């Protein structure tokens, strides 16, 4: 059984409460950092740990922190990204819901390193009940002297606020998130300047994912080098994976990134295999934006090596035969499932979530959705498949933010690996219409009237 | 009737505004719109939007452009109970389509519609971060997960009480 650093205490009864969390060793990282380390020493430990951002892009956290501009007299901000809206991803929710003090503790230690005296959590609007849980934890932390003025007599002041979004996947993109936190539409900004130089209200800002900030706690407690010993290669530490789809035990798992994909899917410690005696057909291993892989390429790389649950191995083979770790949203499909239909729902999602600033993304996502709906409901032509391919290629790389790529990749990978399924739909229009429960009947009303 | 927050709601607005630096009260816009939606029957009328604008010293357009961007703000009246059923891929793999169809059949409303007695609205929404507990829907502040036909029957009966 792998080591757990984040969720090891998640099942302790009443761990949500401050007293229990503290009794189990909580807030030690704050004591250690504020009493015996300088802010730069904290950043150094995070650098040594090799921790990579857990929000999807996998950028080294310590390096990001070291880019933070520090002009005299200008406030700096830490903003935690709890927007979690990538289909398949529900790990941050689990962490905040069951062990909220871990995030608060990580934020205090990180705020100290960055010099942020007011830090924010931007949480997706739908997680309304978690806002209450977090505010309760913040109030307890403040009451016990971990937040407020002159924490532990160190001279460091810090406060944390929870900001609720209102339903927009795009606000997970860091600059759209900052716009939203400023009370505006979630339109991503053109970069540069990066948030590290000009972020919230024009001030230097670090945006990190919930899990990234939570991981700072064990890193400071145990030391960056110790943390880096867990895992393999550039995939250090542990990773939260939210597993869903057609598996026996959906849920959130903390894994050591040395286990194989096969073990993750079939072992009883994790997903527990595919239900109802069905077979594994395909999987999207890192949230809806990353390429789908057919079972054969999922379990073994194109070179025939065992595929592991980590950044390097999941990406092995590039987009031709690999995928990505992404946000850790692991979506499993059994052999009853229709790849065209699943891809259609994702295309609809991206059309709905495009902020509309760039034409390739705004128009392209709409076209992809319509064409996929046509193919799925038996109204597609063979040339539509090539048209889809062409559209996704023209979106990728031609937009302000990566949502464009995120919309293009799932379509590209579905055609790349499951072209025969698209062709089947075109060649069997009648069956395509009836076999999938007549999807068009309750497609988004917007599509029906368009 | 003029739109007006209660004393408690006004105090909450004050608390929200105080979380940002001086002069950055615009940051309170999203939370204040949530509050307004709760206070005024689950949706935001133009009068409500104008009221929020004056409260935060913003021009009305700044409020309109935000209210129309985010999917959680209802710009039309909704029923007393809103069923927001997730329809994205992972939920679809576990039968969200059948749940949507069942609610439709049971209440006689399509996605986007409200029952004539004003009790229920059915909405289809995109991934709510509950993919492992599919199929699911949001009702107000909470999630109802692992939905089945029986569970839907139960929820409807509960709501009618
Ligand atoms: C469309 C889009 C949606 C995103 N959604 C999220 C999200 O919900 N949560 C998150 O942490 N990062 C999300 N990201 C990544 C953020 O832009 C950013 O890279 C991340 O928050 C940085 O934190 P990390 O380095 O700790 O991962 C998203 C990016 C894009 C382009
Ligand atoms: S790529 Fe799409 S979501 Fe991103 S800025 Fe452009 S239009 Fe908006
Ligand atoms: S797909 Fe329905 S909650 Fe994620």
């Amino acid at each position: 059984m792998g080591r757990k650093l984040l969720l090891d205490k998640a099942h302790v009864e009443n761990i949500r409460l401050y007293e229990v969390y503290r009794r189990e060793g909580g807030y030690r990282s704050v004591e250690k950092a504020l009493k015996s380390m300088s802010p730069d020493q904290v950043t150094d430990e995070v650098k040594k740990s090799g921790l990579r951002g857990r929000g999807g892009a996998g950028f080294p956290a310590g390096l990001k922190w070291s880019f933070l501009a520090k002009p005299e007299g200008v406030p700096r901000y830490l903003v935690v990204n709890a927007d979690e809206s990538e289909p398949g991803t529900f790990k941050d929710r689990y962490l905040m819901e069951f062990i909220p003090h871990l995030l608060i503790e990580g934020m205090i230690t990180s705020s100290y390193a960055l010099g942020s005296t007011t830090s924010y959590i931007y949480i997706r609007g739908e997680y309304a009940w978690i806002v209450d849980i977090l505010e309760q934890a913040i109030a307890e932390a403040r009451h016990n002297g971990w937040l407020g003025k002159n924490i532990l007599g160190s001279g460091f002041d810090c406060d944390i606020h929870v900001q609720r979004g209102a339903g927009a996947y795009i606000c997970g993109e860091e600059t759209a998130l900052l716009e939203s936190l400023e009370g505006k539409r979630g339109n991503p900004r053109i970069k540069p300047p990066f948030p590290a130089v000009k972020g919230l209200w024009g001030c230097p800002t670090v945006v990190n994912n919930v899990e990234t900030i939570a991981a700072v706690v064990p890193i400071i407690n145990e030391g960056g080098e110790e943390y880096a010993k867990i895992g393999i290669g550039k995939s250090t530490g542990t990773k939260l994976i939210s597993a869903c789809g057609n598996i026996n035990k959906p849920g959130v798992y903390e894994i050591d990134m040395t286990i194989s994909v096969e073990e993750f899917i079939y072992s009883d410690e994790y997903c527990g295999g595919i239900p109802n005696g069905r077979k594994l057909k395909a999987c999207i291993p890192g949230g809806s934006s990353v390429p789908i892989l057919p079972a054969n390429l999922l379990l073994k790389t194109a070179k025939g090596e065992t595929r592991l649950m980590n950044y390097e191995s999941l990406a092995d083979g590039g987009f031709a035969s690999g995928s990505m770790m992404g946000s850790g949203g692991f979506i499993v499909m059994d052999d009853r499932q229709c790849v065209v239909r699943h891809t259609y729902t994702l295309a609809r999602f991206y059309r709905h979530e495009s902020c509309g600033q760039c034409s390739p993304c705004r128009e392209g996502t709409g076209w992809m959705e319509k064409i996929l709906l046509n193919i799925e409901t038996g109204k597609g032509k063979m040339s539509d498949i090539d048209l889809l391919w062409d559209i996704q290629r023209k979106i990728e790389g031609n937009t302000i933010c990566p949502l464009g790529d995120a919309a293009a990749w799932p379509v590209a990978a579905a055609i790349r690996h499951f072209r025969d399924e698209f062709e089947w739909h075109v060649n069997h229009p009648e069956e395509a219409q009836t076999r999938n429960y007549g999807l068009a009947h309750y497609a988004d009303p917007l599509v029906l009237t368009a | 009737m003029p739109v007006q927050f209660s004393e408690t709601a006004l105090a909450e607005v004050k608390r929200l505004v105080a979380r940002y630096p001086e002069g950055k009260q615009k940051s309170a816009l999203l939370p204040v719109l949530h509050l307004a939606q709760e206070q005024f029957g689950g949706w935001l009328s133009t009068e409500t939007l104008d009221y929020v604008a004056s409260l935060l010293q913003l021009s009305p357009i700044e409020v309109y452009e935000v209210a129309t961007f985010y999917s959680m703000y209802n710009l039309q009246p909704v029923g007393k109970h809103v069923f927001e059923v997730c329809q994205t891929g992972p939920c679809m793999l576990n039968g969200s389509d059948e749940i949507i169809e069942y609610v439709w059949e049971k209440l006689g409303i399509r996605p986007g519609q409200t029952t004539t007695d004003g009790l229920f609205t059915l909405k289809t929404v995109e991934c709510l971060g509950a993919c492992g507990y599919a199929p699911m829907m949001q009702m107000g502040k909470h999630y109802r997960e692992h939905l089945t036909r029986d569970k839907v029957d139960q929820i409807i009966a509960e709501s009618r009480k």
Side-chain angles (χ1 to χ4, degrees):
Chain A
M1 197 161 143
R3 271 197 69 186
K4 290 191 179 27
L5 299 173
L6 302 177
L7 301 184
D8 52 342
K9 301 277 163 57
H11 297 291
V12 174
E13 203 180 340
N14 289 327
I15 193 75
R16 251 190 216 165
L17 300 177
Y18 171 78
E19 288 74 31
V20 180
Y21 182 76
R22 176 72 177 145
R23 194 175 65 222
E24 293 288 332
Y27 289 98
R28 270 188 303 138
S29 80
V30 178
E31 278 175 324
K32 185 169 173 186
L34 268 60
K35 287 189 174 161
S36 68
M37 298 167 80
S38 71
D40 286 346
Q41 281 172 327
V42 176
T43 303
D44 278 343
E45 290 305 316
V46 175
K47 268 192 186 160
K48 279 188 231 160
S49 74
L51 173 67
R52 295 171 65 171
R54 303 299 196 220
F59 192 83
L63 195 60
K64 184 189 267 187
W65 288 15
S66 67
F67 292 152
L68 185 68
K70 294 179 179 159
E72 263 316 291
V74 179
R76 303 189 283 274
Y77 294 103
L78 168 67
V79 177
V80 168
N81 190 342
D83 194 53
E84 184 155 76
S85 312
E86 167 106 350
T89 318
F90 47 101
K91 64 184 180 74
D92 298 337
R93 163 187 170 182
Y94 188 93
L95 197 151
M96 294 186 287
E97 199 171 348
F98 294 104
I99 184 159
H101 279 286
L102 185 67
L103 174 61
I104 306 305
E105 177 178 356
M107 281 183 76
I108 301 168
T109 305
S110 306
S111 298
Y112 173 69
L114 299 166
S116 167
T117 55
T118 312
S119 300
Y120 296 91
I121 302 171
Y122 183 96
I123 187 168
R124 68 176 300 175
E126 293 87 346
Y127 286 172
W129 76 100
I130 302 179
V131 173
D132 297 343
I133 293 174
L134 290 171
E135 289 197 327
Q136 168 81 27
I138 291 167
E140 287 177 334
R142 194 179 290 126
H143 181 75
N144 288 282
W146 302 101
L147 283 169
K149 296 253 176 273
N150 192 19
I151 302 167
L152 304 181
S154 65
F156 175 61
D157 306 339
C158 186
D159 224 327
I160 297 176
H161 301 294
V162 186
Q163 177 91 350
R164 203 177 145 203
Y169 165 66
I170 190 57
C171 291
E173 194 281 334
E174 56 184 9
T175 60
L177 184 153
L178 296 174
E179 287 285 298
S180 182
L181 186 44
E182 292 181 8
K184 302 180 203 152
R185 293 165 77 92
N187 287 346
R189 299 174 181 168
I190 292 173
K191 294 191 256 188
F194 289 92
V197 178
K198 258 183 122 180
L200 184 60
W201 301 306
C203 303
T205 303
V206 164
V207 180
N208 272 132
N209 175 257
V210 169
E211 185 189 346
T212 312
I213 293 299
V216 170
V217 173
I219 288 170
I220 297 306
N221 283 338
E222 308 200 8
E225 273 165 30
E226 282 304 306
Y227 183 89
K229 285 182 193 156
I230 303 166
I232 184 170
K234 286 193 176 138
S235 299
T236 61
T238 60
K239 175 84 190 83
L240 298 184
I241 305 287
S242 59
C244 65
N246 306 125
I247 47 177
N248 279 315
K249 291 169 55 196
V252 176
Y253 298 98
E254 182 170 5
I255 62 159
D256 172 328
M257 287 185 272
T258 56
I259 66 168
S260 69
V261 175
E262 187 166 357
E263 179 182 354
F264 185 68
I265 295 180
Y266 291 102
S267 114
D268 283 335
E269 197 181 326
Y270 304 107
C271 303
I274 316 290
N276 310 318
R278 291 278 166 186
K279 287 199 186 69
L280 173 68
K281 173 175 178 174
C283 172
I284 301 176
S288 63
S289 303
V290 312
I292 187 172
L293 288 178
N296 59 327
L297 284 177
L298 176 73
L299 302 179
K300 291 215 184 310
T301 66
K303 288 177 281 184
E305 288 164 3
T306 302
R307 208 184 277 281
L308 306 179
M309 293 287 290
N310 64 47
Y311 291 93
E312 292 83 9
S313 186
L314 285 171
D316 189 296
F319 278 7
S321 62
S323 184
M324 281 161 82
M325 181 80 161
S327 62
F330 196 85
I331 309 168
V332 179
M333 294 166 69
D334 72 24
D335 56 0
R336 281 173 314 163
Q337 303 296 349
C338 170
V339 169
V340 177
R341 181 145 166 250
H342 193 264
T343 310
Y344 159 69
T345 75
L346 299 185
R348 184 186 58 211
F349 170 81
Y350 290 107
R351 187 268 304 151
H352 186 257
E353 304 300 337
S354 165
C355 84
Q357 278 192 106
C358 336
S359 330
C361 171
R362 181 188 62 240
E363 304 300 320
T365 52
W367 276 100
M368 292 198 300
E369 179 195 6
K370 279 185 205 147
I371 296 170
L372 279 160
L373 180 62
N374 275 344
I375 298 177
E376 163 62 13
T377 52
K379 293 186 219 98
K381 300 191 289 285
M382 217 39 109
S383 59
D384 284 343
I385 305 172
D386 296 323
L387 184 58
L388 263 183
W389 183 265
D390 192 47
I391 295 171
Q392 66 78 20
R393 251 193 40 218
K394 285 176 176 154
I395 300 175
E396 192 191 359
N398 292 322
T399 58
I400 293 176
C401 93
L403 185 139
D405 300 346
W409 294 341
V411 174
I415 299 178
R416 186 181 297 118
H417 299 299
F418 296 93
R419 194 179 177 104
D420 54 333
E421 224 166 289
F422 287 79
E423 291 173 352
W424 181 89
H425 280 74
V426 174
N427 289 328
H428 301 80
E430 306 265 315
E431 280 174 76
Q433 261 178 45
T434 50
R435 225 156 86 168
N436 291 320
Y437 319 101
L439 179 80
H441 297 302
Y442 45 80
D444 190 320
L446 258 182
V447 185
L448 294 181
T449 51
Chain B
M1 200 182 69
V3 179
Q4 173 71 42
F5 272 151
S6 64
E7 286 302 315
T8 350
L10 284 172
E12 175 65 4
V13 172
K14 222 169 142 189
R15 185 189 75 89
L16 289 167
V17 169
R19 309 189 308 175
Y20 318 102
E22 195 63 40
K24 303 294 181 198
Q25 81 280 2
K26 182 168 179 174
S27 283
L29 181 52
L30 271 72
V32 172
L33 286 174
H34 279 303
L35 188 65
Q37 186 158 292
E38 269 166 39
Q39 299 268 311
F40 304 120
W43 71 293
L44 298 166
S45 65
T46 312
E47 291 74 41
T48 304
L49 297 179
D50 291 343
Y51 174 68
V52 168
S54 67
L55 211 57
L56 293 176
Q57 294 153 313
L58 302 170
S59 59
I61 183 69
E62 291 176 276
V63 179
Y64 300 166
E65 63 179 13
V66 163
T68 52
F69 185 85
Y70 296 92
S71 63
M72 289 181 77
Y73 299 130
N74 296 317
L75 303 176
Q76 302 284 334
V78 289
K80 188 164 168 226
H81 307 280
V82 186
F83 290 0
E84 302 185 83
V85 189
C86 173
Q87 60 171 354
T88 314
C91 274
M92 184 275 283
L93 296 176
N94 281 298
S96 60
D97 291 345
E98 287 86 338
I99 294 295
I100 296 166
E101 213 162 54
Y102 186 63
V103 176
W104 175 356
E105 202 182 287
K106 198 87 201 200
L107 296 176
I109 44 173
R110 288 171 164 242
Q113 295 180 335
T114 301
T115 51
T116 43
D117 58 6
L119 262 187
F120 299 100
T121 298
L122 172 61
K123 271 172 96 176
T124 50
V125 295
E126 303 294 348
C127 183
L128 294 179
C131 329
Y133 324 109
M136 63 79 62
M137 68 176 172
Q138 175 154 34
M139 268 186 85
K141 204 170 172 176
H142 295 277
Y143 284 4
R144 308 299 292 258
E145 300 172 329
H146 299 294
L147 292 178
T148 57
R149 287 173 165 237
D150 285 349
K151 233 173 169 171
V152 169
D153 287 343
Q154 246 175 47
I155 294 170
I156 292 176
E158 253 169 51
S159 312
R160 284 215 162 104
K161 267 185 212 151

